[in-house]
Amino acid sequence: MANTFIYSPPTEPWLDILYQDKDIVVVNKPSGLLTNPGRAPELADSLFSRIKAQFTLAQLVHRLDLSTSGVVVFALRRKAERELKHQFAERLVKKRYLAVVAGHLTTEQGHIDLPLTVDGGNEPRQKVCEQTGKAALTHYRVLKQLQHASLLELLPVTGRSHQLRVHMLALGHPILGDAFYAPAPVLTAAPRLLLHAASLQIQHPYSGKTLEFSAGTDFISASGLLNWPAEQFNC
């Protein structure tokens, strides 16, 4: 799949800024745009590159996967960078995601506590591994049952690479449009990965005030999910 990947990031809007002050800037990242530049010249365009062009002192604090959309915060001063990175490292940041997954869950809410590690030889894929994996915990809640899929709220406690995608796969309900983990029918059932970082709660790095930023997504209505035939969701 890596051989056929062509990076074509969206350009409209160029930057969707949700909030800005002298210390931080918060942006709604579209699906298909890298959070930070890749090594190859053709991967130079990224959310961070666009932010740096407008805010020269901006610093990267955390990342979203290429295909994941939603809220990303950048620091605009060094002290803000240190404080925000501390909050992420100490799990003081509260993150809320929305996802559309294949099938209907048997429980309305629960948690997934499965350790994750890199899938050696298949990077950047991750896998569940009880022996060498790092602790990973995700809480989930069903928000709506669609015809052959479910809209979920996902609350990750830890922040492992691909955590939500691998945890939902392990639960037997891969995320629609997931090019790394979904079987072919679930991959092709959506035009993009249906995973969105809907809100992010932090403590302001200077005032200490609790701030929560939210970004909407139209991936359910825009994809025509309710009209897709049942056979597309057969895993």
Side-chain angles (χ1 to χ4, degrees):
M1 188 169 175
N3 295 331
T4 61
F5 173 72
I6 298 176
Y7 184 46
S8 181
T11 57
E12 293 293 337
W14 186 252
L15 276 178
D16 182 7
I17 296 177
L18 303 172
Y19 175 86
Q20 174 196 343
D21 62 25
K22 61 184 176 63
D23 302 306
I24 62 174
V25 59
V26 183
V27 187
N28 182 20
K29 186 186 89 68
S31 175
L33 178 66
L34 290 166
T35 301
N36 56 310
R39 294 181 180 179
E42 62 270 21
L43 302 179
D45 186 18
S46 70
L47 187 62
F48 188 36
S49 304
R50 296 179 186 184
I51 285 287
K52 288 284 282 185
Q54 188 168 335
F55 306 94
T56 56
L57 299 179
Q59 300 295 322
L60 189 68
V61 174
H62 68 121
R63 299 172 177 82
L64 293 180
D65 293 342
L66 166 72
S67 300
T68 304
S69 59
V71 181
V72 180
V73 60
F74 293 90
L76 297 181
R77 297 204 285 179
R78 286 293 184 182
K79 184 176 178 181
E81 177 196 11
R82 290 194 298 271
E83 172 58 26
L84 289 172
K85 284 185 174 179
H86 170 75
Q87 291 182 33
F88 276 93
E90 295 300 316
R91 302 175 187 170
L92 302 176
V93 175
K94 294 183 180 179
K95 297 170 282 186
R96 176 178 179 266
Y97 288 75
L98 297 176
V100 180
V101 303
H104 294 160
L105 281 68
T106 56
T107 56
E108 289 295 308
Q109 59 185 11
H111 70 272
I112 308 162
D113 188 1
L114 293 172
L116 303 177
T117 189
V118 66
D119 188 358
N122 293 310
E123 296 86 347
R125 287 176 59 97
Q126 307 291 307
K127 66 179 181 179
V128 174
C129 183
E130 296 287 350
Q131 288 72 38
T132 62
K134 295 181 179 180
L137 176 62
T138 302
H139 298 288
Y140 67 86
R141 180 167 66 99
V142 178
L143 297 179
K144 185 176 184 180
Q145 285 194 351
L146 306 169
Q147 188 174 1
H148 305 292
S150 300
L151 172 64
L152 304 184
E153 174 187 67
L154 300 176
L155 305 175
V157 177
T158 50
R160 307 300 178 198
S161 180
H162 290 191
Q163 175 175 320
L164 301 180
R165 300 162 77 168
V166 178
H167 273 178
M168 295 317 303
L169 176 70
L171 200 63
H173 299 277
I175 300 175
L176 270 60
D178 193 335
F180 282 115
Y181 304 102
V186 179
L187 167 61
T188 58
R192 54 156 287 198
L193 176 70
L194 298 191
L195 179 62
H196 178 71
S199 67
L200 183 70
Q201 185 184 103
I202 63 170
Q203 309 301 312
H204 191 277
Y206 274 76
S207 70
K209 181 181 179 181
T210 299
L211 300 175
E212 184 169 356
F213 307 102
S214 300
T217 178
D218 65 348
F219 62 32
I220 299 173
S221 58
S223 61
L225 181 63
L226 295 175
N227 298 322
W228 282 336
E231 56 268 21
Q232 285 190 276
F233 295 92
N234 294 331
C235 299

